[in-house]
Amino acid sequence: MLYDLNIAWSPTTSASELERTLKFAKNLGYDVVALNQTITGNIPTQPHPISNPIPQLTHPHPSFPAVPPSSSSPLPTVLRRVTLTVTDPSTTNYRLVDFARSYDLLALRPTNDKAFSWACLSTTEPPAIISLDLTQFLGFHIHHRTAMAAVHRGTRFEICYSQAFLSGNTVDAQRARSNFIGNVLGLLRATKGRGIIVSSEAKSALGLRGPADVVNLLAVWGLGPEKGTEALGTGPRAVVVNEGVKRRGFRGVVDIVQTAPGGKVRSEEEEGGAEGDAKLSKKQRKLQQKQQQGQKQKQQQQGQKQGGQQGQGQKRKNGESGGGQQKKQAK
């Protein structure tokens, strides 16, 4: 399965344009996409519930607590994501839990060195995605230890390839493209290609590209074909599954698994009998191992005894033959 976890959405996006973009993504081979709402500016500090304005167009992903989607749908599976632009971490940290409850995916976009270090190391809950605006001059260096610490926490770094397709030959567009390539190279150098996912951040169907084109483009920027394929498949899949377990499981650790169709739910007596059989089988194995060890020891002792008896017999024969020769010489 192929994933595109960043298709731009805003309240002004028309339903027809959104449907056209999603259908085109399905035709290109993307099975799961995420509509992304970017929130900039100050986050409200009042403790009130956060509403999610993104429409639920299809059934959620099977990792989330809902009915699995049907394969005959003309649209891919649609998730709802929010990206918070972070400048001052002190005003954002305690609201991350509220945003995580309202949306399927939570991403952070730090704008300075302090916010980047906080997003990688100091958040109460590690964000699913760190998505940098690679067209801008970052103003800080992405350190290897900081980036890998975020990867070990379960966070993934996102590269949005549509940022490099800015139209026009103006100075600003050229500067944005050069910043994008330089920032991508710096991110790949810091992470060594690990913990990378690739999305489009397309605002329309024209911003989407086929998976093969994206992999070739990433190879030009320094990410190998194997890791490029993982960045479109297994990497974002891990993000979706982990976020689904956090929302579906108990405290994000224990998951509730239903029985397979046609399977039987065992009663307590059957489970007790199975546990007893397992204990008996363990005891039998231990007894068999002890018996085998005892037999090996007996065989070794018997071999040693036989070897000693043969050695004594040979010594007696040698003594008798030597005594006979001495008698003959004396005569």
Side-chain angles (χ1 to χ4, degrees), residues 225-303:
E226 293 182 357
K227 291 185 177 180
T229 305
E230 292 178 359
L232 290 172
T234 57
R237 179 186 179 278
V239 172
V240 173
V241 172
N242 289 338
E243 292 302 308
V245 170
K246 287 181 182 179
R247 289 157 177 76
R248 186 183 67 242
F250 176 71
R251 293 184 179 179
V253 178
V254 180
D255 192 10
I256 302 172
V257 181
Q258 297 180 354
T259 57
K264 294 182 179 180
V265 179
R266 295 190 301 178
S267 61
E268 294 181 357
E269 296 180 356
E270 292 178 351
E271 290 180 354
E275 290 178 357
D277 294 339
K279 291 180 180 179
L280 289 174
S281 62
K282 289 181 180 179
K283 291 182 179 179
Q284 291 176 356
R285 290 176 184 174
K286 289 182 179 179
L287 290 173
Q288 289 178 357
Q289 290 177 357
K290 289 182 180 180
Q291 291 176 358
Q292 290 177 358
Q293 290 178 357
Q295 291 177 357
K296 288 181 180 179
Q297 291 177 356
K298 288 181 180 179
Q299 290 176 358
Q300 291 176 357
Q301 291 176 358
Q302 291 178 357

Side-chain angles (χ1 to χ4, degrees), residues 119-121 126-127 130 145-157:
C120 293
L121 304 173
I130 294 179
R145 292 184 178 179
T146 306
M148 293 312 299
V151 173
H152 291 319
R153 294 180 71 197
T155 303
R156 297 294 182 266
F157 291 95

